[in-house]
């Protein structure tokens, strides 16, 4: 049943007058069949937060609605969401939360369309709407339901700490609505067991999610975190390609002690302890030899690449040595020509040498300490030089960064690694044929991170350095 509100000339509503007029109108409509119906979508429609949505509604049969009264409302006719009457929009009794955000699409009025556009969609817009059309004594309405959704940020994966014999990796994402689904997947797309995700609503009533997983050395292929909005049938996924072996926890010496004690309790302490120590030494030696073998296979090419810094590309806040081997941060901008090759906003410099095939390795010595910032990696020769830059593979940069007191991999989004001390000498190995680049702690002979094969496109690649506050880098001394 449809309900109309009526007021007398003094502005006060009269229940008796309203009821009488409603009864007369209803009786007339019963005697005279309605000249039209109002139709809307029979399924809920979905809008995206901060976007816009058009609520469709039309007359059937199609007829000109320019001289009709059209009111869109939620739970009552007044205040309304939007009203059109006597050929113009009326805003006197519009709901405050819709002011400046609604528009009746007048181009469709001649053909009977009375659609409403709502811009800058909010979560509070979700709910049931009524499209009410009146032509003289005839009126009809259609009900429709609006659902609101938000597709949040790309998941951010970070390596947090050690737990249960492995590494705890955390996935975070924000600004989702309704509550999203989240799962971890391996490189084959199969779900991985994880801890129950925590989901919280913030002041904006959007969801923030966090979930974690334990990665062990034996189960360390590429894996990803996926967040899905079922209402929009949209999902966002981020992948962590590799965690190198040195990051995984080794056998705790206290476990060894416990084993020895247990053997002693079994009554054969002396002999068992002797053989146990021998076995332990053999295991340590085998582990050292295996690590050395991996180091030699992965990072010792037949020929080392000799690279030098290209002064024509260096930002004017960077100071280069005459031999092209050292670059450091300068507090003042130097008077240098703003040529096409030079980075004008990003504190970057490329090397003169570029590579399109083969395997090439070089080392970079870095100034370390708290509050120092630098990055080492490779870049496409065509990488942008002017304006603001993003240090990520999509922009043509593959690198690792020391950021004050921790190291990041410049994936998209960035990956935080659990290194508490900056490597003072970084070895970079670029395999152009495989399209991948690997980074190593040259002193510890430990792998830091490897971008997977196929990450780097088949074009000329040049060594890339970025030097921030108090940073200093030197090439293969």
């Amino acid at each position: 049943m449809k309900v109309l509100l009526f007021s007398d000339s003094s502005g006060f509503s009269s229940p008796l007058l309203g009821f009488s007029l409603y009864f007369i109108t209803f009786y007339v409509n019963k005697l005279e069949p309605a000249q039209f119906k109002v139709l809307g979508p029979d399924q809920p429609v979905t809008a995206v937060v901060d976007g816009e949505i058009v609520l469709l509604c039309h007359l059937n049969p199609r007829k000109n609605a320019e001289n009709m009264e059209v009111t869109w409302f939620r739970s009552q006719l007044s205040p309304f969401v939007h009203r059109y009457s006597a050929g113009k929009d009326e805003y006197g009794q519009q709901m405050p939360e819709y002011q400046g955000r609604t528009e009746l699409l007048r181009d469709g009025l001649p053909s009977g369309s009375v659609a409403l556009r709502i811009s800058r969609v909010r979560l509070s817009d979700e709910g049931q709407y009524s499209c009410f059309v009146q032509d003289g004594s005839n009126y009809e309405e259609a009900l429709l339901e609006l659902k609101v959704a938000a597709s949040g940020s790309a998941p951010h994966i970070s390596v947090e700490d050690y737990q249960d014999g492995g590494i705890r990796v955390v996935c975070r994402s924000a600004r989702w609505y309704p509550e999203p689904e989240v799962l971890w997947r391996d490189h084959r797309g199969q779900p991985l067991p994880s801890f129950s995700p925590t989901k919280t609503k913030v002041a904006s009533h959007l969801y923030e999610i966090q979930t974690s997983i334990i990665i062990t050395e034996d189960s360390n292929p590429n894996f990803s975190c996926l967040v899905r909005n079922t209402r929009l049938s949209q999902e966002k996924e981020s992948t962590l390609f590799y965690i190198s072996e040195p990051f995984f926890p080794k056998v705790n010496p206290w476990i060894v002690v416990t084993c020895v004690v247990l053997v002693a309790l079994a009554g054969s302490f002396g002999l068992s302890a002797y053989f146990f120590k021998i076995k332990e030494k053999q295991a340590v030696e085998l582990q050292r030899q295996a690590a050395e073998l991996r180091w030699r296979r992965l990072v010792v090419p037949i020929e080392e690449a000799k690279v030098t810094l290209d002064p024509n590309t260096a930002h004017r806040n960077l100071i280069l040595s005459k031999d092209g081997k050292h670059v450091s941060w300068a507090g003042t901008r130097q008077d240098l020509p703003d040529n096409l090759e030079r980075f004008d906003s990003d504190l970057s410099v490329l090397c003169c040498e570029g590579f399109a095939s083969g395997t090439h390795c070089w080392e970079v010595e870095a100034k370390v300490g708290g509050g120092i910032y630098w990055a080492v990696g490779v870049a496409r020769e065509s990488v942008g030089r002017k304006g603001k830059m993003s240090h990520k593979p999509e922009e043509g940069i593959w690198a690792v960064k020391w950021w004050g007191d921790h190291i990041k991999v410049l994936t998209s989004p960035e990956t935080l690694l659990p290194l508490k001390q900056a490597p003072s000498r970084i070895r970079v190995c670029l395999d152009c044929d495989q399209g991948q680049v690997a980074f190593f702690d040259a002193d510890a002979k430990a792998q830091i991170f490897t971008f997977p094969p196929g990450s780097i496109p088949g074009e000329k690649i040049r060594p890339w350095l970025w030097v921030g506050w108090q940073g200093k880098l030197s090439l293969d001394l």
Side-chain angles (χ1 to χ4, degrees):
M1 184 176 73
K2 306 173 180 63
V3 179
L4 294 176
L5 304 181
F6 298 91
S7 301
D8 59 21
S9 58
S10 64
F12 295 96
S13 63
S14 171
L16 180 59
L17 176 60
F19 178 81
S20 301
L21 290 175
Y22 171 74
F23 179 81
I24 293 171
T25 302
F26 180 79
Y27 184 73
V28 170
N29 281 323
K30 277 293 186 181
L31 294 177
E32 299 178 6
Q35 300 177 4
F36 59 87
K37 289 185 178 181
V38 179
L39 302 178
D42 55 3
Q43 297 292 329
V45 294
T46 302
V48 178
V49 171
D50 296 328
E52 66 174 36
I53 184 69
V54 174
L55 303 181
L56 299 176
C57 186
H58 68 272
L59 307 183
N60 185 33
R62 299 276 186 174
K63 60 185 301 184
N64 194 326
E66 290 178 297
N67 296 321
M68 298 183 184
E69 182 175 298
V70 181
T71 305
W72 283 87
F73 62 93
R74 298 290 296 269
S75 58
Q76 55 187 17
L77 275 170
S78 181
F80 50 77
V81 175
H82 192 95
R83 175 172 291 166
Y84 169 87
S85 180
K88 61 180 181 181
D89 296 304
E90 295 182 356
Y91 298 101
Q93 298 180 51
Q94 186 180 33
M95 297 172 70
E97 57 266 38
Y98 288 94
Q99 291 178 1
R101 298 197 299 122
T102 61
E103 177 190 3
L104 191 73
L105 302 183
R106 296 195 189 186
D107 290 346
L109 290 175
S111 61
S113 173
V114 290
L116 179 72
R117 176 187 286 127
I118 301 176
S119 59
R120 303 189 300 281
V121 172
R122 305 171 181 175
L123 288 181
S124 59
D125 294 340
E126 185 170 87
Q128 193 174 68
Y129 288 74
S130 179
C131 171
F132 182 92
V133 182
Q134 185 172 359
D135 183 19
S137 61
N138 293 293
Y139 66 91
E140 280 288 343
E141 69 176 340
L143 299 177
L144 65 134
E145 185 177 1
L146 174 64
K147 292 183 178 295
V148 177
S151 185
S153 61
H156 181 273
I157 299 177
S158 60
V159 180
E160 297 288 316
D161 50 29
Y162 296 113
Q163 182 176 330
D164 300 334
I167 294 176
R168 187 172 71 95
V169 182
V170 175
C171 172
R172 298 180 178 90
S173 187
R175 292 186 58 80
W176 291 88
Y177 188 86
E179 183 178 307
E181 294 180 353
V182 57
L183 71 154
W184 292 92
R185 302 196 300 190
D186 63 18
H187 64 287
R188 297 182 300 272
Q190 297 301 311
L192 294 172
S194 63
F195 294 97
S196 298
T198 59
K199 302 170 187 176
T200 57
K201 275 189 178 180
V202 294
S204 61
H205 300 290
L206 299 174
Y207 284 92
E208 292 183 351
I209 64 99
Q210 175 177 311
T211 182
S212 59
I213 189 172
I214 303 299
I215 300 298
T216 62
E217 187 173 0
D218 294 333
S219 59
N220 185 38
N222 304 344
F223 58 93
S224 62
C225 175
L226 181 143
V227 186
R228 178 184 294 121
N229 187 316
T230 55
R231 184 171 290 179
L232 292 175
S233 298
Q234 291 182 356
E235 58 188 37
K236 294 186 178 181
E237 186 173 15
S238 294
T239 301
L240 185 62
F241 294 113
Y242 184 79
I243 300 179
S244 64
E245 179 193 6
F247 291 112
F248 287 98
K250 302 304 178 185
V251 176
N252 192 319
W254 288 107
I255 297 178
V256 177
V257 173
T258 302
C259 292
V260 172
V261 172
L262 291 175
V263 172
L265 292 175
S268 54
F269 171 74
L271 188 61
S272 298
Y274 174 75
F275 285 114
F276 191 89
K277 287 181 180 179
I278 293 177
K279 188 174 182 180
E280 182 182 9
K281 288 182 179 180
Q282 290 176 340
V284 171
E285 178 61 20
L286 288 173
Q287 187 178 40
R288 187 196 67 77
Q289 292 175 358
E292 179 71 17
L293 180 60
R294 284 194 299 271
W295 166 260
R296 292 186 180 278
R297 286 177 177 173
L298 290 172
V299 303
V300 183
I302 297 175
E303 184 177 350
E304 296 284 321
K306 300 297 181 181
V307 294
T308 54
L309 301 170
D310 183 355
N312 292 323
T313 65
H315 187 277
R316 286 183 285 183
N317 272 53
L318 301 182
I319 298 176
L320 271 60
S321 62
K322 292 183 179 180
D323 62 0
K325 293 294 184 180
H326 309 271
V327 56
S328 58
W329 179 84
T332 57
R333 178 165 294 200
Q334 302 176 82
D335 185 16
L336 296 172
D338 186 18
N339 51 286
L340 294 176
E341 298 89 350
R342 191 177 307 282
F343 292 93
D344 67 350
S345 298
D346 198 75
L347 299 172
S348 299
V349 59
L350 295 174
C351 288
C352 299
E353 295 74 17
F355 309 104
S357 62
T359 300
H360 310 273
C361 295
W362 60 92
E363 292 183 2
V364 181
E365 186 175 297
K367 180 182 178 182
V368 297
I372 295 175
Y373 303 88
W374 48 257
V376 173
V378 298
R380 290 194 304 242
E381 188 170 53
S382 60
V383 68
R385 316 289 175 89
K386 307 300 180 184
K388 186 178 180 180
M389 291 178 55
S390 296
H391 298 160
K392 54 186 180 181
E394 291 87 342
E395 301 296 329
I397 292 175
W398 298 264
V400 295
K401 175 188 288 187
W402 180 256
W403 193 251
D405 59 357
H406 53 266
I407 197 162
K408 297 179 177 180
V409 182
L410 300 185
T411 50
S412 182
E414 294 179 352
T415 302
L416 181 65
L417 296 180
L419 283 180
K420 300 303 181 182
Q421 182 176 352
S424 60
R425 203 157 50 96
I426 298 176
R427 188 174 183 84
V428 185
C429 286
L430 171 67
D431 187 338
C432 297
D433 300 328
Q434 294 293 323
Q436 73 177 108
V437 61
F439 300 89
F440 304 88
D441 183 335
D443 293 323
K445 296 184 178 180
Q447 195 168 13
I448 297 174
F449 189 85
T450 299
F451 285 88
S455 299
I456 299 174
E459 64 175 90
K460 184 172 287 188
I461 303 296
R462 296 169 68 174
W464 171 86
L465 305 178
W466 179 89
V467 183
W469 173 263
Q470 295 186 345
K472 181 178 180 180
L473 298 172
S474 301
L475 293 171
D476 44 47
L477 298 177

